[in-house]
Amino acid sequence: MIRLGAGSLERIVAVGAHCDDIAIGAGGTLLALCLARPGLRVDALVLSGGGSEREEEERAALTAFCPGADLRLTVLKLPDGRMPVHWDEAKAAVEELRARTEPDLVLAPRTDDAHQDHRGLAQLIPTAFRDHLVLGYEIVKWDGDLGRPVAYQPLSPEIAEEKVRLLQEHYPSQRHRPWYDREAFLGLARIRGIECHARYAEAFAVTKLTLDLGD
């Protein structure tokens, strides 16, 4: 197992098609990053849920998932499940986000995610963030689209448990969903942990990676 760091992290971008995507896919990573780097700037963009209770949930949740960070969150009002027909609006939002930040890391959906909103957003990210490390997070769902990840962020048991607690606390609108429970979140984290010799982990897809291995 090769362990590579991202160097000095001062700014990160996190994007999601829906409120809760970022927290489900990369909430543990956000917690670990923000706890280790107080003052880290986090620019977050969510394409849907603006002006609803979902936006309120998202603001409270990401504040909790990014303790001590300089969090700047934008939640738009694109209709859920209709991202492909709102391509221009989504692209404009991603480009506006790119114009105001130069991140060291981008957290985004995977390009092979089965959900059309997730996949569409993932396809937009490299068109704006061309020279950045982009980690594609995974979201468990009925489609059965979990793949074979290549990058892992180990999570301590404390971080993994805190992630699950925050997900349950801050997204009451999702608690009725059959997959939205402690077993699903910790179960996937445990499997990914086994794959990288840790107790728990979050896993990511990487489509392009430039190495700097020295002279």
Side-chain angles (χ1 to χ4, degrees), residues 126-156:
T127 69
F129 296 92
R130 293 180 178 273
D131 299 309
H132 301 79
L133 174 60
V134 179
L135 298 181
Y137 57 72
E138 56 184 357
I139 297 178
V140 64
K141 49 190 173 299
W142 73 271
D143 304 83
D145 65 349
L146 295 180
R148 195 170 190 176
V150 297
Y152 297 84
Q153 171 59 49
L155 304 177
S156 68

mmCIF file of all heavy atoms in Angstrom, residues 126-156:
data_model
loop_
_atom_site.group_PDB
_atom_site.id
_atom_site.type_symbol
_atom_site.label_atom_id
_atom_site.label_comp_id
_atom_site.label_asym_id
_atom_site.label_seq_id
_atom_site.Cartn_x
_atom_site.Cartn_y
_atom_site.Cartn_z
ATOM 1 N N PRO A 126 -13.966 18.362 -14.482
ATOM 2 C CA PRO A 126 -12.655 18.502 -15.149
ATOM 3 C C PRO A 126 -12.638 19.530 -16.264
ATOM 4 O O PRO A 126 -11.566 19.924 -16.721
ATOM 5 C CB PRO A 126 -12.382 17.089 -15.682
ATOM 6 C CG PRO A 126 -13.713 16.437 -15.766
ATOM 7 C CD PRO A 126 -14.526 17.008 -14.654
ATOM 8 N N THR A 127 -13.796 19.999 -16.719
ATOM 9 C CA THR A 127 -13.799 21.051 -17.733
ATOM 10 C C THR A 127 -13.456 22.400 -17.121
ATOM 11 O O THR A 127 -13.021 23.314 -17.835
ATOM 12 C CB THR A 127 -15.170 21.158 -18.433
ATOM 13 O OG1 THR A 127 -16.152 21.671 -17.515
ATOM 14 C CG2 THR A 127 -15.618 19.797 -18.941
ATOM 15 N N ALA A 128 -13.656 22.546 -15.824
ATOM 16 C CA ALA A 128 -13.332 23.803 -15.129
ATOM 17 C C ALA A 128 -12.077 23.671 -14.284
ATOM 18 O O ALA A 128 -11.262 24.588 -14.223
ATOM 19 C CB ALA A 128 -14.514 24.233 -14.256
ATOM 20 N N PHE A 129 -11.921 22.535 -13.620
ATOM 21 C CA PHE A 129 -10.761 22.303 -12.758
ATOM 22 C C PHE A 129 -9.810 21.351 -13.490
ATOM 23 O O PHE A 129 -9.739 20.164 -13.208
ATOM 24 C CB PHE A 129 -11.210 21.729 -11.414
ATOM 25 C CG PHE A 129 -12.067 22.672 -10.621
ATOM 26 C CD1 PHE A 129 -13.453 22.641 -10.729
ATOM 27 C CD2 PHE A 129 -11.494 23.613 -9.777
ATOM 28 C CE1 PHE A 129 -14.247 23.520 -10.004
ATOM 29 C CE2 PHE A 129 -12.278 24.499 -9.045
ATOM 30 C CZ PHE A 129 -13.659 24.454 -9.166
ATOM 31 N N ARG A 130 -9.067 21.905 -14.432
ATOM 32 C CA ARG A 130 -8.277 21.094 -15.359
ATOM 33 C C ARG A 130 -6.958 20.595 -14.778
ATOM 34 O O ARG A 130 -6.452 19.549 -15.200
ATOM 35 C CB ARG A 130 -8.006 21.891 -16.637
ATOM 36 C CG ARG A 130 -9.259 22.176 -17.448
ATOM 37 C CD ARG A 130 -8.948 22.962 -18.707
ATOM 38 N NE ARG A 130 -10.150 23.191 -19.497
ATOM 39 C CZ ARG A 130 -10.623 22.343 -20.400
ATOM 40 N NH1 ARG A 130 -9.980 21.207 -20.616
ATOM 41 N NH2 ARG A 130 -11.713 22.621 -21.082
ATOM 42 N N ASP A 131 -6.395 21.334 -13.855
ATOM 43 C CA ASP A 131 -5.074 20.991 -13.329
ATOM 44 C C ASP A 131 -5.123 20.731 -11.828
ATOM 45 O O ASP A 131 -4.194 21.068 -11.096
ATOM 46 C CB ASP A 131 -4.084 22.115 -13.640
ATOM 47 C CG ASP A 131 -3.916 22.339 -15.129
ATOM 48 O OD1 ASP A 131 -3.662 21.350 -15.845
ATOM 49 O OD2 ASP A 131 -4.056 23.489 -15.582
ATOM 50 N N HIS A 132 -6.190 20.128 -11.366
ATOM 51 C CA HIS A 132 -6.399 19.937 -9.943
ATOM 52 C C HIS A 132 -6.601 18.459 -9.626
ATOM 53 O O HIS A 132 -7.049 17.683 -10.475
ATOM 54 C CB HIS A 132 -7.626 20.725 -9.472
ATOM 55 C CG HIS A 132 -7.531 22.203 -9.723
ATOM 56 N ND1 HIS A 132 -7.768 22.743 -10.974
ATOM 57 C CD2 HIS A 132 -7.201 23.230 -8.910
ATOM 58 C CE1 HIS A 132 -7.599 24.058 -10.909
ATOM 59 N NE2 HIS A 132 -7.255 24.373 -9.678
ATOM 60 N N LEU A 133 -6.268 18.107 -8.423
ATOM 61 C CA LEU A 133 -6.537 16.754 -7.951
ATOM 62 C C LEU A 133 -8.024 16.639 -7.637
ATOM 63 O O LEU A 133 -8.530 17.330 -6.753
ATOM 64 C CB LEU A 133 -5.713 16.447 -6.689
ATOM 65 C CG LEU A 133 -6.011 15.100 -6.009
ATOM 66 C CD1 LEU A 133 -5.739 13.938 -6.965
ATOM 67 C CD2 LEU A 133 -5.200 14.954 -4.732
ATOM 68 N N VAL A 134 -8.725 15.800 -8.388
ATOM 69 C CA VAL A 134 -10.160 15.591 -8.204
ATOM 70 C C VAL A 134 -10.382 14.173 -7.683
ATOM 71 O O VAL A 134 -9.993 13.193 -8.334
ATOM 72 C CB VAL A 134 -10.941 15.792 -9.512
ATOM 73 C CG1 VAL A 134 -12.436 15.537 -9.282
ATOM 74 C CG2 VAL A 134 -10.721 17.202 -10.053
ATOM 75 N N LEU A 135 -10.989 14.066 -6.516
ATOM 76 C CA LEU A 135 -11.342 12.765 -5.942
ATOM 77 C C LEU A 135 -12.845 12.565 -6.077
ATOM 78 O O LEU A 135 -13.638 13.387 -5.602
ATOM 79 C CB LEU A 135 -10.943 12.707 -4.466
ATOM 80 C CG LEU A 135 -9.445 12.859 -4.154
ATOM 81 C CD1 LEU A 135 -9.213 12.751 -2.643
ATOM 82 C CD2 LEU A 135 -8.627 11.802 -4.890
ATOM 83 N N GLY A 136 -13.234 11.482 -6.749
ATOM 84 C CA GLY A 136 -14.645 11.197 -6.965
ATOM 85 C C GLY A 136 -15.200 10.307 -5.867
ATOM 86 O O GLY A 136 -14.843 9.131 -5.760
ATOM 87 N N TYR A 137 -16.070 10.864 -5.040
ATOM 88 C CA TYR A 137 -16.621 10.093 -3.914
ATOM 89 C C TYR A 137 -17.751 9.167 -4.371
ATOM 90 O O TYR A 137 -18.315 9.317 -5.450
ATOM 91 C CB TYR A 137 -17.085 11.026 -2.787
ATOM 92 C CG TYR A 137 -18.110 12.081 -3.159
ATOM 93 C CD1 TYR A 137 -19.432 11.743 -3.424
ATOM 94 C CD2 TYR A 137 -17.756 13.431 -3.215
ATOM 95 C CE1 TYR A 137 -20.373 12.705 -3.743
ATOM 96 C CE2 TYR A 137 -18.693 14.407 -3.537
ATOM 97 C CZ TYR A 137 -20.000 14.038 -3.792
ATOM 98 O OH TYR A 137 -20.923 15.006 -4.114
ATOM 99 N N GLU A 138 -18.074 8.212 -3.518
ATOM 100 C CA GLU A 138 -19.099 7.224 -3.842
ATOM 101 C C GLU A 138 -20.281 7.353 -2.894
ATOM 102 O O GLU A 138 -20.131 7.716 -1.724
ATOM 103 C CB GLU A 138 -18.523 5.807 -3.789
ATOM 104 C CG GLU A 138 -17.888 5.441 -2.460
ATOM 105 C CD GLU A 138 -17.244 4.064 -2.467
ATOM 106 O OE1 GLU A 138 -17.338 3.357 -3.493
ATOM 107 O OE2 GLU A 138 -16.648 3.684 -1.444
ATOM 108 N N ILE A 139 -21.470 7.054 -3.422
ATOM 109 C CA ILE A 139 -22.705 7.089 -2.629
ATOM 110 C C ILE A 139 -23.425 5.761 -2.847
ATOM 111 O O ILE A 139 -23.799 5.424 -3.980
ATOM 112 C CB ILE A 139 -23.606 8.263 -3.051
ATOM 113 C CG1 ILE A 139 -22.903 9.594 -2.770
ATOM 114 C CG2 ILE A 139 -24.946 8.199 -2.324
ATOM 115 C CD1 ILE A 139 -23.696 10.816 -3.204
ATOM 116 N N VAL A 140 -23.620 5.031 -1.771
ATOM 117 C CA VAL A 140 -24.294 3.744 -1.881
ATOM 118 C C VAL A 140 -25.776 3.969 -2.182
ATOM 119 O O VAL A 140 -26.407 4.876 -1.641
ATOM 120 C CB VAL A 140 -24.104 2.927 -0.570
ATOM 121 C CG1 VAL A 140 -24.756 3.612 0.624
ATOM 122 C CG2 VAL A 140 -24.613 1.516 -0.739
ATOM 123 N N LYS A 141 -26.348 3.161 -3.088
ATOM 124 C CA LYS A 141 -27.753 3.277 -3.451
ATOM 125 C C LYS A 141 -28.209 1.999 -4.147
ATOM 126 O O LYS A 141 -27.400 1.093 -4.395
ATOM 127 C CB LYS A 141 -27.991 4.497 -4.337
ATOM 128 C CG LYS A 141 -27.047 4.651 -5.518
ATOM 129 C CD LYS A 141 -27.238 6.008 -6.170
ATOM 130 C CE LYS A 141 -26.211 6.267 -7.249
ATOM 131 N NZ LYS A 141 -24.825 6.277 -6.742
ATOM 132 N N TRP A 142 -29.492 1.959 -4.489
ATOM 133 C CA TRP A 142 -30.069 0.715 -5.008
ATOM 134 C C TRP A 142 -29.517 0.333 -6.372
ATOM 135 O O TRP A 142 -29.605 -0.826 -6.782
ATOM 136 C CB TRP A 142 -31.591 0.829 -5.068
ATOM 137 C CG TRP A 142 -32.084 1.727 -6.179
ATOM 138 C CD1 TRP A 142 -32.295 3.070 -6.127
ATOM 139 C CD2 TRP A 142 -32.409 1.329 -7.508
ATOM 140 N NE1 TRP A 142 -32.727 3.550 -7.334
ATOM 141 C CE2 TRP A 142 -32.813 2.497 -8.217
ATOM 142 C CE3 TRP A 142 -32.404 0.108 -8.194
ATOM 143 C CZ2 TRP A 142 -33.196 2.482 -9.550
ATOM 144 C CZ3 TRP A 142 -32.800 0.095 -9.530
ATOM 145 C CH2 TRP A 142 -33.186 1.275 -10.193
ATOM 146 N N ASP A 143 -28.923 1.280 -7.114
ATOM 147 C CA ASP A 143 -28.422 0.993 -8.456
ATOM 148 C C ASP A 143 -27.306 -0.052 -8.472
ATOM 149 O O ASP A 143 -27.050 -0.654 -9.513
ATOM 150 C CB ASP A 143 -27.873 2.285 -9.091
ATOM 151 C CG ASP A 143 -28.899 3.395 -9.120
ATOM 152 O OD1 ASP A 143 -29.046 4.083 -8.092
ATOM 153 O OD2 ASP A 143 -29.552 3.573 -10.158
ATOM 154 N N GLY A 144 -26.644 -0.246 -7.340
ATOM 155 C CA GLY A 144 -25.550 -1.214 -7.307
ATOM 156 C C GLY A 144 -24.381 -0.794 -8.164
ATOM 157 O O GLY A 144 -23.795 -1.604 -8.886
ATOM 158 N N ASP A 145 -24.014 0.510 -8.090
ATOM 159 C CA ASP A 145 -22.979 1.031 -8.974
ATOM 160 C C ASP A 145 -21.631 1.216 -8.292
ATOM 161 O O ASP A 145 -20.746 1.864 -8.854
ATOM 162 C CB ASP A 145 -23.435 2.367 -9.577
ATOM 163 C CG ASP A 145 -23.605 3.455 -8.516
ATOM 164 O OD1 ASP A 145 -23.577 3.135 -7.302
ATOM 165 O OD2 ASP A 145 -23.772 4.631 -8.897
ATOM 166 N N LEU A 146 -21.461 0.689 -7.098
ATOM 167 C CA LEU A 146 -20.175 0.840 -6.429
ATOM 168 C C LEU A 146 -19.097 0.133 -7.235
ATOM 169 O O LEU A 146 -19.258 -1.018 -7.645
ATOM 170 C CB LEU A 146 -20.238 0.264 -5.013
ATOM 171 C CG LEU A 146 -21.176 0.984 -4.044
ATOM 172 C CD1 LEU A 146 -21.142 0.306 -2.682
ATOM 173 C CD2 LEU A 146 -20.818 2.453 -3.911
ATOM 174 N N GLY A 147 -18.024 0.820 -7.470
ATOM 175 C CA GLY A 147 -16.973 0.272 -8.322
ATOM 176 C C GLY A 147 -15.768 -0.199 -7.544
ATOM 177 O O GLY A 147 -15.862 -0.611 -6.382
ATOM 178 N N ARG A 148 -14.620 -0.097 -8.189
ATOM 179 C CA ARG A 148 -13.361 -0.536 -7.600
ATOM 180 C C ARG A 148 -12.502 0.696 -7.408
ATOM 181 O O ARG A 148 -11.799 1.130 -8.325
ATOM 182 C CB ARG A 148 -12.683 -1.531 -8.536
ATOM 183 C CG ARG A 148 -11.566 -2.315 -7.886
ATOM 184 C CD ARG A 148 -11.130 -3.441 -8.798
ATOM 185 N NE ARG A 148 -10.236 -4.358 -8.114
ATOM 186 C CZ ARG A 148 -9.764 -5.462 -8.663
ATOM 187 N NH1 ARG A 148 -10.106 -5.779 -9.907
ATOM 188 N NH2 ARG A 148 -8.968 -6.256 -7.987
ATOM 189 N N PRO A 149 -12.557 1.319 -6.246
ATOM 190 C CA PRO A 149 -11.842 2.583 -6.034
ATOM 191 C C PRO A 149 -10.333 2.395 -6.029
ATOM 192 O O PRO A 149 -9.820 1.296 -5.820
ATOM 193 C CB PRO A 149 -12.343 3.042 -4.655
ATOM 194 C CG PRO A 149 -12.739 1.780 -3.968
ATOM 195 C CD PRO A 149 -13.279 0.880 -5.042
ATOM 196 N N VAL A 150 -9.641 3.506 -6.264
ATOM 197 C CA VAL A 150 -8.181 3.454 -6.313
ATOM 198 C C VAL A 150 -7.530 4.340 -5.262
ATOM 199 O O VAL A 150 -6.306 4.286 -5.081
ATOM 200 C CB VAL A 150 -7.662 3.862 -7.704
ATOM 201 C CG1 VAL A 150 -8.152 2.890 -8.758
ATOM 202 C CG2 VAL A 150 -8.086 5.278 -8.064
ATOM 203 N N ALA A 151 -8.313 5.168 -4.577
ATOM 204 C CA ALA A 151 -7.753 6.064 -3.562
ATOM 205 C C ALA A 151 -8.582 5.944 -2.292
ATOM 206 O O ALA A 151 -9.812 5.824 -2.347
ATOM 207 C CB ALA A 151 -7.751 7.509 -4.058
ATOM 208 N N TYR A 152 -7.908 5.968 -1.159
ATOM 209 C CA TYR A 152 -8.581 5.773 0.129
ATOM 210 C C TYR A 152 -8.120 6.822 1.132
ATOM 211 O O TYR A 152 -6.939 7.178 1.183
ATOM 212 C CB TYR A 152 -8.254 4.394 0.702
ATOM 213 C CG TYR A 152 -8.725 3.235 -0.140
ATOM 214 C CD1 TYR A 152 -7.956 2.765 -1.205
ATOM 215 C CD2 TYR A 152 -9.936 2.611 0.126
ATOM 216 C CE1 TYR A 152 -8.389 1.708 -1.982
ATOM 217 C CE2 TYR A 152 -10.368 1.538 -0.643
ATOM 218 C CZ TYR A 152 -9.597 1.096 -1.694
ATOM 219 O OH TYR A 152 -10.030 0.040 -2.468
ATOM 220 N N GLN A 153 -9.076 7.289 1.935
ATOM 221 C CA GLN A 153 -8.758 8.119 3.086
ATOM 222 C C GLN A 153 -9.143 7.322 4.334
ATOM 223 O O GLN A 153 -10.330 7.195 4.647
ATOM 224 C CB GLN A 153 -9.527 9.445 3.056
ATOM 225 C CG GLN A 153 -9.414 10.275 4.341
ATOM 226 C CD GLN A 153 -7.977 10.645 4.684
ATOM 227 O OE1 GLN A 153 -7.231 11.133 3.845
ATOM 228 N NE2 GLN A 153 -7.579 10.406 5.927
ATOM 229 N N PRO A 154 -8.167 6.761 5.048
ATOM 230 C CA PRO A 154 -8.503 6.039 6.284
ATOM 231 C C PRO A 154 -9.186 6.972 7.278
ATOM 232 O O PRO A 154 -8.857 8.155 7.384
ATOM 233 C CB PRO A 154 -7.139 5.569 6.794
ATOM 234 C CG PRO A 154 -6.264 5.539 5.579
ATOM 235 C CD PRO A 154 -6.729 6.692 4.741
ATOM 236 N N LEU A 155 -10.145 6.411 8.016
ATOM 237 C CA LEU A 155 -10.860 7.155 9.044
ATOM 238 C C LEU A 155 -10.688 6.462 10.382
ATOM 239 O O LEU A 155 -10.827 5.237 10.471
ATOM 240 C CB LEU A 155 -12.359 7.235 8.720
ATOM 241 C CG LEU A 155 -12.767 7.832 7.367
ATOM 242 C CD1 LEU A 155 -14.280 7.746 7.209
ATOM 243 C CD2 LEU A 155 -12.282 9.263 7.219
ATOM 244 N N SER A 156 -10.398 7.226 11.408
ATOM 245 C CA SER A 156 -10.351 6.646 12.749
ATOM 246 C C SER A 156 -11.767 6.228 13.141
ATOM 247 O O SER A 156 -12.758 6.753 12.602
ATOM 248 C CB SER A 156 -9.827 7.674 13.749
ATOM 249 O OG SER A 156 -10.772 8.733 13.914
#
